């Protein structure tokens, strides 16, 4: 009975979404307030019914209702409750439902937190979000119903959740990632609404900025969690594989990063408007592209869902419709740029423009590497793959250039920056960064050009960021007063940039100075990895809740001193007879020690992977810093102030924004 | 030159420079890093280039896995049920590597017609087959007009 209720609520939610995408929009275009007034109730109804459907599916999982096909395929009565819960999004149908739940959740949040926005704007934003919801709800109702029944032959037990997914990672990674993906729909909706009513100004930028930042912060955490999960669970110690699906999440992240920065310029200086709108459209389209790549079965990937081609066609159509419709709208409505020159050729605007050029180049690059094989295959021009070296070779220079630019741009001023002054300003940070990165080279024993560049860039970003903080916080009333005076959005930026530096440092050091050895070992053997000795003590059996495991014991020593005892496992799951490798890791802020058991070679000999991973934690720590920066920035009081553009930026605490030219908010919209 | 034009020109030049660097890097890197896929029939027919990094894939033939007891060396045959190719690999195989499973290997074909792999990929889902492998099996079976092996149907995705 319940599952049918779930399906019914989904269909009701779909109908409400259809109404939401039409009624308030029509109301806003014809100026009828009574129609616009439907926007919030319809949003609430849509959210509630999707929530109900999600609750029903969760209930089916927790009560082992194997008459529901999706539950029977993705769960088992032996699973602990928390994996039954996360198994809700362990397959295609349920994860799509989670996606929709989040989409309607974001829509709900917009309805709640945008009470100060003009009614026309909010009606149109909610309508556009309604349209996006219609697309995904049609998709789930038509092709991927999670409530399909297996009647009358109800299986006695479920086929089990894939052992790879029986992990903490599944509980946190997809929800975070989807929050990010779907969150860009809000930025998209704001952009489309602004195009529809021609109100493309600094106020619009300020409204959509916090939403973009939050979505981006979630996506950063989601990607980092995925990388961390892959590292300990399936990657044999790798943390990024340039796998097409990883790239699919990196694409909106890169575009979203560019969008955040160009929104900053549009808000503060009223320029780059058309570009910002275009970026908002592109970012969300890339989120849709990601959904298509993962769910259409076109990819060879650990993420690929076993799915049918109908789904791919539907998503491709949805993607094409979104892109075409928004670009058409953009072509007709985007402001004709006749902005008077208000910034010099060396100014913060130019630095941020270059930031966008680099980030968009990186996006294009990753897109080419990811899509090129698919396109060739589609036209039957051969099956190729593009390997990691391509991405490493092309992405790294762009990342380094972005970091170098960031450091210099930190000191730049809006409108005009004196070149000589900037050069002198950068001299000391340059010296300190060179010193720091040389020290790192010495510590890790050995100069490598790429490693030096990467570490130097990370140091450069860190030093300039702190230097700028020091400059800005100088005050006659003392340092503490000066530090307190800085706005939260400024501290958000500081955290975000430090996060980038941490990630860069981690990625560079672990890629260049990490050690990986595959060895054949019998109990009693000792193998050396860098300064560490690994002693294979023994290997025995252990029974888990729904698996039996070969349970190894390793002692890790350094200079004869005990460092850690590690217990990697090889698990055999009872249902489906699948085998899983569980690595064991001694984690630390400065290095990880990693042991994984491969296959049995002979009676007592095993293939063993031993690794030393310096600074790997910094990678994910950096992403957490970035996300924390994002959340800090949106708590800035600027976003809580009433929404009239000029007033808002005048009362803004940042000195730079008081320079906002009143003309910048007035004109430039055709 | 008029300062506004000059500034626009700088912007455009910056954009062009960025774009051309990106395009240059991309094409350069692409040329070096494209790995073509060959199925066992193509390799045994000599269509695959020797000593070029390529990918090969198919099903691991039953009873063909030979393991060196003293090192991490493994040898096995990969088949599309009309031809098979010997593959050598030194290292740890993925958990789902098993006889009768679909795999994709990266590596080089040596002059003796053996494929020396530096990477072997098997996918995490036992129902999921790499599209390349499914395609290769389909091609091989339709070429010989015989029905496909039951466990090798490509309709798994």
């Amino acid at each position: 009975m319940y599952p049918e209720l779930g399906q019914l609520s989904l269909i009701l939610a779909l109908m409400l979404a259809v109404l939401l995408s039409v009624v308030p929009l029509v109301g806003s275009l014809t100026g009828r307030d009574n129609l616009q007034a439907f926007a919030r109730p319809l949003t609430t109804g849509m959210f509630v019914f999707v929530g109900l459907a999600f609750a029903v599916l969760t209930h089916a999982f927790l009560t082992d209702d194997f008459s529901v096909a999706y539950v029977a395929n993705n769960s088992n009565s032996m699973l602990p409750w928390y994996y039954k819960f996360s198994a809700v999004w362990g397959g295609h149908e349920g994860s799509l439902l989670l996606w929709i739940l989040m989409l309607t959740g974001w829509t709900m949040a917009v309805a709640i937190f945008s009470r100060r926005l003009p009614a026309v704007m909010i009606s149109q934003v909610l309508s556009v979000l309604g349209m996006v919801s219609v697309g995904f709800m049609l998709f789930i109702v038509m092709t991927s119903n999670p409530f399909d029944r297996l009647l009358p032959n109800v299986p006695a037990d479920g086929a089990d959740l894939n052992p790879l997914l029986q992990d903490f990672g599944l509980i946190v990674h997809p929800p975070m990632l989807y929050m990010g993906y779907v969150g860009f729909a809000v930025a998209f909706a704001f952009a489309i609404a602004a195009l529809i009513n021609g109100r493309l100004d600094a106020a619009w930028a300020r409204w959509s900025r916090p939403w973009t930042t939050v979505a981006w912060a979630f996506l950063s955490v989601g990607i980092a969690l995925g990388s961390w999960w892959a590292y300990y669970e399936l990657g044999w110690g790798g943390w990024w594989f340039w796998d097409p699906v990883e790239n699919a999440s990196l694409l909106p992240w890169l575009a979203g990063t560019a969008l955040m920065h160009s929104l900053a310029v549009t808000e503060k200086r009223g320029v780059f408007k058309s570009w910002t709108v275009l970026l908002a459209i592109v970012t969300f389209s890339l989120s849709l592209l990601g959904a298509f790549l993962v769910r259409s079965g076109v990819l060879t990937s650990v993420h690929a869902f076993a799915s049918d081609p109908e789904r791919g066609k539907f998503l491709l159509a949805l993607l094409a419709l979104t892109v075409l419709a928004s670009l058409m709208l953009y072509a007709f409505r985007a402001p004709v740029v006749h902005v008077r020159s208000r910034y010099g050729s060396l100014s913060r605007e130019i630095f941020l423009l270059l930031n966008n050029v680099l980030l968009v180049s990186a996006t294009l690059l990753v897109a080419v590497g990811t899509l090129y094989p698919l396109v060739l295959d589609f036209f039957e021009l051969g099956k190729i793959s593009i390997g990691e070296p391509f991405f490493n070779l092309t992405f790294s220079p762009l990342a380094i250039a972005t970091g170098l630019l960031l450091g210099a741009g930190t000191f730049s001023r809006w409108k005009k920056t004196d070149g000589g002054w900037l050069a002198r300003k950068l001299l000391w940070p340059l010296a300190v960064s060179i010193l720091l990165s040389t020290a790192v080279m010495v510590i890790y024993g050995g100069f490598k050009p790429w490693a030096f560049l990467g570490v130097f860039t990370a140091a450069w970003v860190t030093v300039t960021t702190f230097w700028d903080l020091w400059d800005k916080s100088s005050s006659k009333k003392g340092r503490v007063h000066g530090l307190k005076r800085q706005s939260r959005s400024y501290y958000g930026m500081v955290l975000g940039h430090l996060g980038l530096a941490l990630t860069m440092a981690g990625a560079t050091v672990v890629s260049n100075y990490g050690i990986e050895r595959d060895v054949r070992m019998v109990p009693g053997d000792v193998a050396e990895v860098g300064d560490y000795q690994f002693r294979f003590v023994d290997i025995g059996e252990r029974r888990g809740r729904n698996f039996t495991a070969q349970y190894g014991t390793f002692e890790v020593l350094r200079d004869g001193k005990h460092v850690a005892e590690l217990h990697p496992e090889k698990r055999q799951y009872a249902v489906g007879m699948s085998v899983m490798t569980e690595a064991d890791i001694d984690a630390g802020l400065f290095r990880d020690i990693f042991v994984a058991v491969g296959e049995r070679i002979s009676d007592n000999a095993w293939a063993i992977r031993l690794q030393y991973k310096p600074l790997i934690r910094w990678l994910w720590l950096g992403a957490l810093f970035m996300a924390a920066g994002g959340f800090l920035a949106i708590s800035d009081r600027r976003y809580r102030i009433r929404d009239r553009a000029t007033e808002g930026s005048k009362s803004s605490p940042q000195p730079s924004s008081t320079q906002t030219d009143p003309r910048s908010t007035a004109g430039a919209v055709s | 030159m008029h300062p506004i034009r000059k500034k626009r020109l700088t912007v455009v030049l910056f954009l062009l420079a960025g774009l051309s660097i990106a395009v240059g890097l991309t094409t350069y890197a692409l040329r070096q890093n494209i790995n073509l896929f060959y199925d066992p029939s193509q390799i045994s027919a000599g269509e695959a280039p020797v000593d070029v990094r390529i990918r090969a894939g198919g099903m691991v033939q039953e009873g063909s896995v030979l393991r060196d007891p003293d090192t991490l060396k493994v040898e096995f045959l990969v088949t599309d049920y009309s031809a098979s190719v010997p593959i050598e690999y030194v290292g740890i195989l993925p958990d789902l590597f098993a006889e009768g499973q679909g795999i994709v290997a990266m590596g080089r074909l040596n002059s003796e017609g053996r494929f020396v792999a530096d990477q072997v990929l098997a996918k995490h889902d036992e129902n999921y087959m790499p599209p390349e492998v499914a395609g290769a099996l389909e091609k091989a079976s339709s070429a010989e007009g015989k029905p496909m092996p039951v466990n090798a149907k490509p309709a798994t995705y």
Side-chain angles (χ1 to χ4, degrees):
Chain A
M1 184 59 207
Y2 282 125
E4 280 68 29
L5 268 182
Q7 195 175 354
L8 192 66
S9 350
L10 260 187
I11 293 168
L12 278 174
L14 170 62
M15 287 160 139
L16 290 174
V18 171
L19 288 177
L20 177 64
S21 52
V22 177
V23 176
L25 183 63
V26 170
S28 75
L29 293 177
T30 55
R32 289 166 68 179
D33 292 348
N34 56 343
L35 292 185
Q36 292 188 46
F38 277 109
R40 286 200 170 90
L42 283 172
T43 304
T44 312
M46 182 177 83
F47 175 63
V48 168
F49 279 112
V50 172
L52 200 63
F54 193 81
V56 168
L57 189 63
T58 310
H59 178 261
F61 268 94
L62 293 179
T63 56
D64 296 325
D65 185 353
F66 297 123
S67 71
V68 178
Y70 179 68
V71 180
N73 288 331
N74 290 287
S75 185
N76 183 275
S77 56
M78 285 204 297
L79 277 182
W81 73 268
Y82 42 89
Y83 291 148
K84 281 180 186 167
F85 174 66
S86 54
V88 173
W89 53 83
H92 166 73
E93 289 88 348
S95 63
L96 189 62
L97 188 57
L98 178 70
W99 177 288
I100 292 171
L101 178 72
M102 289 184 163
L103 182 57
T104 53
W106 277 99
T107 313
M108 193 70 221
V110 173
I112 292 172
F113 294 114
S114 302
R115 298 224 172 260
R116 293 190 187 114
L117 259 61
V120 173
M121 188 75 181
I122 191 69
S123 307
Q124 289 172 350
V125 168
L126 291 178
S127 274
V128 174
L129 284 168
M131 292 176 202
V132 177
S133 304
V134 170
F136 279 102
M137 287 180 192
L138 272 178
F139 181 45
I140 198 169
V141 169
M142 286 167 57
T143 70
S144 327
N145 181 7
F147 299 106
D148 270 347
R149 294 272 207 170
L150 289 172
L151 293 172
N153 300 316
V154 177
D157 207 339
D160 206 3
L161 179 66
N162 188 323
L164 263 180
L165 301 180
Q166 297 183 23
D167 188 89
F168 175 71
L170 179 70
I171 303 177
V172 289
H173 165 59
M176 286 289 158
L177 198 67
Y178 287 7
M179 279 299 274
Y181 271 136
V182 175
F184 285 131
V186 180
F188 170 77
F190 270 98
I192 296 295
L195 284 176
I196 291 175
N197 65 22
R199 195 177 168 177
L200 211 61
D201 51 20
W204 157 73
R206 198 166 71 256
W207 294 328
S208 63
R209 222 180 139 185
W211 298 103
T212 310
T213 309
V214 176
W216 174 88
F218 275 118
L219 190 59
S220 309
V221 175
I223 295 175
L225 282 171
S227 158
W228 172 61
W229 186 11
Y231 165 70
Y232 72 77
E233 183 73 27
L234 86 152
W236 294 93
W239 49 273
W240 192 265
F241 303 88
W242 296 109
D243 171 292
V245 177
E246 289 174 337
N247 295 348
S249 71
L250 193 62
L251 288 172
W253 188 86
L254 289 168
T257 312
L259 175 61
M260 271 199 316
H261 290 88
S262 91
L263 269 172
V265 185
T266 306
E267 187 201 339
K268 301 263 186 190
R269 302 282 304 130
V271 288
F272 298 180
K273 290 169 189 165
S274 324
W275 172 244
T276 306
V277 170
L278 188 61
L279 262 185
I281 294 172
V282 166
T283 304
F284 181 60
S285 305
L286 288 172
S287 287
L288 290 181
L289 176 73
F292 163 70
L293 289 179
V294 182
R295 294 167 190 278
S296 61
V298 295
L299 291 180
T300 310
S301 161
V302 290
H303 291 83
F305 292 97
S307 61
D308 65 72
E310 285 308 309
R311 292 174 182 163
K313 278 182 202 149
F314 190 104
L315 281 172
L316 199 58
L318 187 65
L319 174 66
L321 190 69
T322 312
V323 172
L324 283 178
S326 9
L327 288 186
M328 287 274 276
L329 189 65
Y330 179 78
F332 285 113
R333 304 284 300 184
V336 178
V337 187
H338 46 80
V339 184
R340 300 247 319 268
S341 173
R342 284 193 296 268
Y343 53 93
S345 47
L346 188 66
S347 62
R348 208 175 183 90
E349 287 91 329
I350 292 294
F351 274 107
L352 285 166
L353 179 70
L354 283 177
N355 148 300
N356 268 241
V357 171
L358 288 172
L359 283 168
V360 169
S361 307
T363 312
L364 277 175
L365 195 89
V366 176
V368 166
T370 310
L371 298 178
Y372 186 53
L374 296 177
V375 172
L376 277 194
D377 186 29
F378 182 79
F379 293 110
E380 303 198 332
L381 293 170
K383 289 185 185 299
I384 64 158
S385 78
I386 292 176
E388 291 180 28
F390 166 76
F391 294 101
N392 291 338
L393 194 66
T394 52
F395 193 77
S396 314
L398 285 174
I400 286 169
T402 308
L404 295 180
L405 194 73
L406 192 168
T410 303
F411 296 119
S412 67
R413 307 264 167 88
W414 295 110
K415 285 184 175 177
K416 191 160 175 50
T417 308
D418 181 53
W421 173 83
L422 187 62
R424 283 192 298 279
K425 190 85 206 159
L426 292 173
L427 219 53
W428 274 109
L430 180 69
V432 176
S433 310
I434 291 179
L435 213 65
L436 268 176
S437 30
T438 313
V440 173
M441 297 295 105
V442 172
I443 291 169
Y444 286 106
F447 175 86
K448 297 180 184 179
W450 275 112
F452 182 81
L453 267 177
V455 173
F456 171 77
T457 311
W460 172 250
V461 170
T462 314
V463 171
T464 50
T465 301
F466 277 122
W467 208 285
D468 186 55
L469 180 62
W470 185 258
D471 283 356
K472 285 216 168 76
S473 63
S474 77
S475 160
K476 287 195 184 102
K477 293 186 204 163
R479 184 64 59 185
V480 177
H481 176 79
L483 285 170
K484 272 189 190 156
R485 213 184 47 193
Q486 301 308 311
S487 67
R488 288 196 191 179
S489 68
Y490 175 72
Y491 279 117
M493 183 191 87
V494 167
L495 269 184
H497 288 168
L498 290 179
L500 178 73
L502 280 177
T503 300
M504 276 188 156
T508 309
V509 168
V510 76
S511 316
N512 285 285
Y513 299 104
I515 306 172
E516 174 187 315
R517 278 192 70 192
D518 292 346
V519 285
R520 173 191 176 278
M521 291 179 96
V522 296
D525 278 0
V526 176
E528 299 253 348
V529 175
D531 296 341
Y532 295 88
Q533 295 89 42
F534 292 71
R535 197 163 67 84
F536 186 8
V537 181
D538 63 15
I539 189 160
E541 287 227 334
R542 180 177 90 88
R543 295 192 71 84
R545 185 172 174 145
N546 52 356
F547 60 86
T548 55
Q550 299 288 334
Y551 181 78
T553 303
F554 286 80
E555 193 188 7
V556 184
L557 303 147
R558 187 178 185 176
D559 306 327
K561 270 187 228 125
H562 177 87
V563 176
E565 191 177 276
L566 295 175
H567 299 284
E569 293 181 10
K570 193 103 202 161
R571 289 184 185 170
Q572 177 103 38
Y573 282 80
V575 186
M577 295 309 283
S578 43
V579 178
M580 276 288 309
T581 300
E582 289 283 328
D584 200 13
I585 299 164
D586 180 46
L589 187 58
F590 292 100
R591 58 105 190 93
D592 274 17
I593 304 282
F594 179 110
V595 181
V597 179
E599 67 267 40
R600 190 177 218 147
I601 297 172
S602 61
D603 266 356
N604 59 350
W606 293 76
I608 307 286
R609 172 162 295 185
L610 305 169
Q611 295 188 92
Y612 161 68
K613 295 265 175 192
L615 297 198
I616 188 158
R617 301 275 145 185
W618 290 33
L619 270 170
W620 309 307
L621 201 64
L624 291 183
F625 265 62
M626 290 186 223
F631 284 111
L632 192 63
I634 63 143
S635 71
D636 195 293
R637 57 190 287 265
R638 185 164 82 246
Y639 299 117
R640 299 195 294 266
I641 292 172
R642 290 199 66 81
D643 48 275
R644 264 172 299 156
T646 43
E647 192 183 287
S649 48
K650 263 180 198 155
S651 57
S652 159
Q654 274 199 325
S656 53
S657 60
T658 54
Q659 303 168 349
T660 303
D661 188 338
R663 279 171 303 168
S664 65
T665 53
V669 180
S670 60
Chain B
M1 205 192 289
H2 196 282
I4 293 178
R5 292 231 180 99
K6 195 174 158 196
K7 198 199 67 211
R8 273 195 201 143
L9 189 68
T10 348
V11 171
V12 170
L13 282 180
F14 267 133
L15 283 169
L16 275 181
L19 203 67
S20 44
I21 290 173
V23 169
L25 276 171
T26 312
T27 39
Y28 170 74
L30 263 181
R31 210 176 311 146
Q32 314 224 322
N33 290 297
I34 285 180
N35 311 117
L36 286 159
F37 178 85
Y38 292 91
D39 58 42
S41 301
Q42 286 171 315
I43 295 176
S44 54
E47 288 173 32
V50 172
D51 207 26
V52 172
R53 202 170 139 83
I54 56 170
R55 288 182 310 145
M59 310 301 275
V60 180
Q61 193 165 313
E62 301 279 348
S64 72
V65 180
L66 271 178
R67 205 179 278 283
D68 182 340
D70 298 322
T71 65
L72 295 180
K73 191 171 168 186
V74 180
E75 293 176 32
F76 53 91
L77 292 173
V78 153
T79 177
D80 57 8
Y81 300 104
S82 69
S84 55
V85 176
I87 294 190
E88 284 179 29
Y89 175 69
V90 178
I92 296 178
L93 290 165
D95 290 334
L96 276 176
F97 179 91
E99 295 180 351
Q101 278 281 344
I103 61 117
V104 172
M106 294 273 273
R108 291 162 195 274
L109 199 62
N110 69 14
S111 47
E112 297 149 36
R114 296 174 74 80
F115 189 84
V116 183
D118 50 47
Q119 203 180 7
V120 175
L121 305 167
K123 290 305 162 185
H124 75 284
D125 182 344
E126 59 272 28
N127 297 318
Y128 178 82
M129 197 183 297
E132 295 91 338
V133 176
L137 295 178
E138 194 173 18
K139 206 175 85 188
S141 67
S142 60
E144 297 183 14
K146 66 185 177 194
M148 264 208 233
V150 195
N151 62 343
K153 61 179 192 297
T156 44
Y157 56 90

